Amino acid sequence: MQRRTVQVTNRLGLHARAAAKLVQVANRFQSAITLARSDTGQTADAKSILGVLLLAASAGTHLDVTTSGEDEMEAIEAICRLIESKFGEEEGRPGS
Amino acid sequence: MTAPSEIVLRGLGISSGIGWGPAVHSPWRGRMIFRRRLAPQEIESEVARFHRAVGIAREQLRVLRQRMEHALGKEHAYILDAHVLMLEDAGILGEIETLIRTSAVNAEWAVKLVTDRILAIYAEIKDDDLRERGSDIEDVANRLLRVLSGDRSTCALPEGAVLVSETLPPSLLGELDPQRIAGLILGTGGWTSHVAILARGLGIPAVSGLRGALAQIEDHALVLVDGTRGLVLVHPSPDTLQRYERQRQERERHWIRWQARAPLPTTTRDGVPITIRANIERLSELDEMRRCGARGIGLLRTEFLFLQAAPELPSEEMQLEAYRQAAEVAGREGVAIRTVDWDENQMAALGTLHALRDQQTELGSSEPWLPERNPALGLRAIRFSLRAPEVLTTQLRAIVRAAAFGNLRIVLPMITSLEEVEQVRRLLQITCRELRAEGIAVPDRLPVGVMIETPAAVWLADELAAAVDFLSLGTNDLIQYILAVDRDNDRVAQLYDPLHPAVLRALRHVVQAAERAGRPLEVCGEMAAHPLHALTLLGLGARILSMRPRAIPLIKDFVRACELTRVREVVGKALAASHRAEVRELLLRSLQELRLELPDEALLNGSASPIGEVS
C-alpha cells in the first residue's frame, strides 16, 4: 500500500473538469485508489466522479492519497503529479 | 372529421427563418415515475435491463459529445464528459443495482431514488460551482429514464420535429442539429440567451417568450415556426402552408442569386462605395465570412474565448492564437477586436468569477457574491475590464502581440466617459513598454476606437471622436439604453424600435460627430443587417456596415440597388418626423419607390414590431 499527502493548489479545487480528469487517470490503474480529506477524514473512491465531486475539495485542501494493488507505485505517482500540476489548468494566468 | 383550426401565437423571434413539423415537447418534461414491485424471478432480468440502458445512454452521449464538439468547440463538450463519467461511476451504478435487488423494485424507481438522494446531498454543498453540477445529475438521470422507457434514438427528437420547451437543458443543446430540427419554440429566453445565439449560428428558426401558451401546443400537432415574424402557428391551414412554401422557394431563389454576387464590390447606383464587414462571434465563422465577400472584420467579439476557457480565464497564448487567426483571414482590411463585453451574472454562470477571486482584485473579495439585479446597468464591459486590470492587460498583450500578424485595432465597449478611454490608453502604453522590454515587437500604430452604445457616449461623441482613432456604433445596446427597453424581456421587446425618432436623431448626431472629427465610423449592430434599417443608416451618412456573415450577401445586393441621393432625402424627412409610425411609413414608401425585389420577410425582424402583419 502506498500513501502520500498532497495539497490541492489549483484555484478552483476539485471542480468538475478537474474531477473528471482525476477519475479518468485513476481508471487507468488496477489498484484501488482512495482520497481522504485530511481535515474531515471524508473519503472517496478516486474512480468515482460522484465521490470525488462530493469531497468538495477547494483550493488549499490537503488530501491523503492511498493506493493499493499491483501498480500502486505508478498510480500514486500519477495521481499526485496530476494534483500537484494543478490539473494542467493554470498555464498562462492572466496578468502573470 | 373536421380539421383543428389554426391558432396563431405571438412571441419573440430570436432566430429568423421558417420551419414546420410535428411538435415535440421537451423529452425531459413531466415524466411520471411509478414504483413496481418485482417478483423474485424478475430481478435478474430487471438488473440486466438497467445495465443495457446504461450502455445505450453512454453511447448516445458519445455521439452527442462529438456533435457538440463540432458545433460549439471542444471546450463546451466537457459538460458531457462529466455525464459520461457519471454513467461509468461504479458507486452510482452499484447503488442502483443494489436497490433493485434488495427492494425488488423496477429500474426506473431505483434510478429516481438514488438520484434524488444525490441531489439532496448536492443541495447542501457550499461551493456554487460544485452545487451546480447537480443539474448534470438530473440530466443524466432523465436520459437513463428515457432509455428505460423504451426510447432508443440517440436524439431525443424525431427527425424534422419542432422542439417545444420551457428552456433548454445543456445536454439538449447538443441535439440542436439543423439537419434534424425544423424549429424551436421556447417559453422563456431572450435574444442574447445561449440558445438564441446557438440557434442563429446554426440557422434554426426560433420563437421565444410564449410562456403559458406552450400548453396550447399538443404533442405531435403540426406547428409552423416563423422566427422572422416571431409567430407560431399551430395546425396551420393548407393555405397558410402553401403561402409559406412559396415564400421559402422565393427566399431560396434570392439566396442563390445573392450569394453568387457576394464577392462583387458594393457600390450604390449613384457610385458611392460602401464597405461591408463581418461581425464574428466564433472562429468557426471565419470560413463563412470569406465566402460572403466581407471586407475585413468590423467586430470580433471576444466573449467566446472566455466561454471556452471557463471556469478559468483565457490565457494570453490562447487569445494570441485566436487573434492571429482572425488577422490572417481578414487580411488587409483588418479586424476590430472588442475587449470582453459581459456582465457579472454571465461570468458567475460560467464560474469565471471564481478565477478572479485569488487575484486580489476588488472583485475577488471573499464576500458571498449576489447576482446583479440590473446587469445591463451594472459592472459589465469596460467597467469590468477596468476593475480587473489583469484581465484587460492579458487581453491587450495578446492583441498587441497578434498585431504582428495583421492589421488589428482595438474597440472598447460601453464607454460612458473620456476617463475610461484615457485609463485604457495608459494601460496600453504600459503594456507596450513591458512587451518591448521583453524583446517582443510592438507595432508602431495600433488604432483604438470606442463603441458608441450609451446615451452618454452619444452626447460626448465629439470629444470621444477627437480622443480616439475611430467610432463604432453598437446599435443593439444604444437602442436598448435610449428607449429603456430590455430586448431580452419578451414582454417589452416589441417596444424596441430601431426606427424610433429618438434613435434616428441620436444616430445622426454620432455620424456628424465622426464626420466633424474626420474619424471613420463603423456600424456594427443588428441594424446593419436589416435592409430597411441599413437603408436608414446609409441615408444618415454611414459608409461602413458590419454584420453577421449570413446577412452580408443580402445587404450587399440591396446596397447596390440603392440610389444614395434619394435615400438621403427620404431619411432627411424621416428625421423631422415625431411619430414612430410616420418614420416607418416614409421609409417604407421610399423602399417601394426603389422597386427592389426583396422577399417580404427581408423587411421583418422578429424582435421588432412587425411592419406587415400576416393576413
Side-chain angles (χ1 to χ4, degrees):
Chain A
M1 194 178 80
Q2 300 294 320
R3 199 187 155 137
R4 209 183 294 174
T5 303
V6 284
Q7 191 179 14
V8 177
T9 53
N10 60 314
R11 259 176 294 162
L12 297 165
L14 275 181
H15 182 266
R17 200 180 328 194
K21 266 191 194 167
L22 191 129
V23 172
Q24 281 162 347
V25 170
N27 274 315
R28 281 191 224 136
F29 298 97
Q30 293 257 296
S31 300
I33 306 172
T34 33
L35 305 175
R37 287 183 69 121
S38 306
D39 50 356
T40 60
Q42 187 189 346
T43 63
D45 177 354
K47 295 181 182 179
S48 154
I49 180 125
L50 188 66
V52 174
L53 281 175
L54 288 175
L55 274 182
S58 51
T61 309
H62 288 272
L63 292 177
D64 300 319
V65 184
T66 316
T67 61
S68 112
E70 271 176 35
D71 49 7
E72 58 187 39
M73 281 302 288
E74 293 89 338
I76 200 156
E77 195 52 46
I79 294 288
C80 292
R81 199 163 353 113
L82 181 70
I83 298 174
E84 281 162 354
S85 72
K86 305 175 198 261
F87 301 88
E89 282 175 356
E90 314 227 329
E91 72 274 12
R93 280 181 57 159
S96 60
Chain B
M1 210 177 86
T2 52
S5 57
E6 184 175 299
I7 308 171
V8 181
L9 305 173
R10 271 160 209 284
L12 172 67
I14 52 171
S15 174
S16 68
I18 289 149
W20 60 83
V24 175
H25 279 272
S26 163
W28 293 177
R29 179 183 67 143
R31 189 182 294 280
M32 299 280 281
I33 307 298
F34 296 101
R35 175 184 177 150
R36 192 167 68 85
R37 268 205 94 79
L38 303 176
Q41 68 273 20
E42 284 180 298
I43 288 178
E44 279 317 308
S45 65
E46 188 67 3
V47 169
R49 186 171 80 94
F50 166 65
H51 284 293
R52 264 200 313 278
V54 170
I56 292 166
R58 219 153 42 197
E59 190 47 38
Q60 291 179 349
L61 282 169
R62 258 190 279 276
V63 174
L64 284 178
R65 192 189 184 290
Q66 277 174 4
R67 183 175 314 147
M68 203 146 161
E69 199 174 308
H70 187 73
L72 290 173
K74 224 184 184 110
E75 295 74 12
H76 284 267
Y78 90 94
I79 302 175
L80 293 186
D81 265 351
H83 287 196
V84 173
L85 281 171
M86 286 176 198
L87 285 176
E88 287 170 358
D89 193 318
I92 307 178
L93 301 184
E95 199 178 328
I96 296 172
E97 184 179 332
T98 309
L99 204 63
I100 297 173
R101 287 182 196 281
T102 54
S103 311
V105 290
N106 52 330
E108 286 89 344
W109 189 251
V111 168
K112 181 181 157 32
L113 285 189
V114 171
T115 38
D116 283 353
R117 191 186 63 78
I118 297 171
L119 287 174
I121 302 176
Y122 262 97
E124 296 293 309
I125 292 181
K126 300 274 186 298
D127 187 302
D128 294 342
D129 290 319
L130 277 171
R131 197 174 48 232
E132 266 176 26
R133 305 261 61 95
S135 63
D136 291 341
I137 293 193
E138 244 177 317
D139 242 19
V140 171
N142 278 324
R143 178 171 298 283
L144 256 181
L145 290 171
R146 188 165 54 79
V147 175
L148 281 168
S149 77
D151 190 339
R152 291 287 183 275
S153 51
T154 298
C155 268
L157 305 162
E159 201 147 338
V162 171
L163 176 58
V164 183
S165 185
E166 198 42 48
T167 56
L168 228 49
S171 66
L172 277 184
L173 284 177
E175 309 218 7
L176 282 184
D177 177 352
Q179 304 298 328
R180 299 184 57 100
I181 307 243
L184 199 57
I185 302 174
L186 298 168
T188 53
W191 178 262
T192 54
S193 63
H194 208 88
V195 189
I197 292 169
L198 199 61
R200 283 198 296 277
L202 296 169
I204 300 173
V207 173
S208 172
L210 285 159
R211 296 165 193 277
L214 288 190
Q216 293 185 45
I217 308 172
E218 63 264 44
D219 248 326
H220 307 300
L222 181 63
V223 281
L224 186 146
V225 181
D226 181 346
T228 312
R229 292 181 180 81
L231 292 178
V232 170
L233 306 177
V234 191
H235 308 302
S237 67
D239 281 355
T240 306
L241 282 177
Q242 246 174 41
R243 196 175 67 235
Y244 273 106
E245 176 58 23
R246 269 198 308 276
Q247 277 179 21
R248 194 188 59 76
Q249 287 170 3
E250 194 192 352
R251 193 175 61 240
E252 228 168 66
R253 222 180 46 238
H254 282 295
W255 180 249
I256 290 166
R257 209 188 55 218
W258 293 330
Q259 251 188 339
R261 294 206 287 232
L264 301 174
T266 318
T267 310
T268 62
R269 249 168 47 193
D270 41 357
V272 181
I274 304 295
T275 305
I276 306 288
R277 298 197 165 132
N279 292 349
I280 297 293
E281 208 149 345
R282 293 187 309 238
L283 290 182
S284 55
E285 289 173 327
L286 290 177
D287 268 347
E288 195 169 356
M289 171 213 155
R290 236 188 312 222
R291 273 198 305 274
C292 63
R295 292 187 57 193
I297 298 173
L299 177 66
L300 178 71
R301 300 192 164 98
T302 56
E303 292 73 45
F304 75 95
L305 292 165
F306 288 74
L307 260 167
Q308 284 175 5
E312 296 292 319
L313 291 161
S315 67
E316 185 179 321
E317 295 304 320
M318 174 186 174
Q319 296 190 47
L320 170 64
E321 176 53 25
Y323 304 153
R324 187 185 61 74
Q325 271 185 45
E328 283 171 358
V329 173
R332 209 164 46 88
E333 293 289 333
V335 186
I337 301 179
R338 185 178 67 186
T339 62
V340 70
D341 179 10
W342 58 21
D343 60 62
E344 256 195 307
N345 290 3
Q346 287 166 312
M347 276 188 298
L350 288 170
T352 309
L353 215 52
H354 276 246
L356 289 167
R357 295 215 160 167
D358 290 1
Q359 296 193 356
Q360 298 173 339
T361 60
E362 286 172 68
L363 291 169
S365 71
S366 53
E367 278 167 38
W369 178 81
L370 294 169
E372 281 208 54
R373 252 170 21 111
N374 198 347
L377 305 184
L379 187 64
R380 56 167 287 200
I382 199 67
R383 302 171 179 180
F384 159 73
S385 294
L386 287 171
R387 201 69 98 68
E390 328 71 41
V391 181
L392 179 58
T393 305
T394 306
Q395 192 157 28
L396 292 177
R397 279 180 65 100
I399 298 172
V400 175
R401 288 176 62 191
F405 300 95
N407 179 8
L408 298 185
R409 48 195 194 280
I410 300 174
V411 59
L412 310 174
M414 221 201 153
I415 290 290
T416 53
S417 71
L418 281 148
E419 283 85 345
E420 286 163 340
V421 180
E422 287 153 8
Q423 265 178 286
V424 176
R425 281 225 187 257
R426 271 197 297 279
L427 260 174
L428 183 61
Q429 261 172 15
I430 297 170
T431 303
C432 287
R433 210 164 36 231
E434 279 173 6
L435 282 168
R436 273 194 210 98
E438 290 167 34
I440 294 167
V442 172
D444 300 332
R445 223 181 82 80
L446 187 61
V448 175
V450 291
M451 301 288 299
I452 304 290
E453 51 189 350
T454 63
V458 171
W459 293 116
L460 286 175
D462 281 302
E463 288 87 343
L464 284 169
V468 295
D469 302 294
F470 65 100
L471 299 183
S472 183
L473 251 174
T475 54
N476 301 1
D477 274 329
L478 183 58
I479 298 166
Q480 137 163 319
Y481 291 128
I482 288 185
L483 300 179
V485 169
D486 178 0
R487 204 181 183 186
D488 274 351
N489 180 341
D490 43 62
R491 279 171 296 185
V492 292
Q494 74 282 3
L495 296 175
Y496 180 97
D497 180 6
L499 299 180
H500 191 291
V503 173
L504 292 193
R505 292 174 198 188
L507 295 178
R508 178 185 54 174
H509 182 77
V510 177
V511 171
Q512 289 179 342
E515 279 170 8
R516 278 193 291 268
R519 300 282 189 269
L521 171 88
E522 314 187 17
V523 184
C524 59
E526 200 63 37
M527 262 186 100
H530 184 280
L532 186 64
H533 303 164
L535 178 90
T536 311
L537 288 166
L538 296 182
L540 287 167
R543 293 293 174 266
I544 309 173
L545 305 180
S546 189
M547 62 204 72
R548 64 193 129 85
R550 254 168 201 276
I552 292 178
L554 159 70
I555 295 295
K556 280 190 137 199
D557 215 50
F558 184 76
V559 170
R560 289 189 198 109
C562 286
E563 202 182 315
L564 201 57
T565 7
R566 178 85 191 96
V567 172
R568 283 200 94 125
E569 263 169 54
V570 176
V571 173
K573 276 187 214 151
L575 275 165
S578 51
H579 285 72
R580 291 170 65 185
E582 230 178 307
V583 173
R584 201 167 281 284
E585 210 195 297
L586 267 165
L587 291 169
L588 276 175
R589 204 171 331 123
S590 77
L591 204 60
Q592 268 165 7
E593 284 169 22
L594 279 171
R595 285 181 220 288
L596 293 177
E597 206 197 320
L598 278 175
D600 287 354
E601 58 163 90
L603 300 177
L604 298 165
N605 182 349
S607 60
S609 52
I611 298 166
E613 290 290 322
V614 259
S615 48

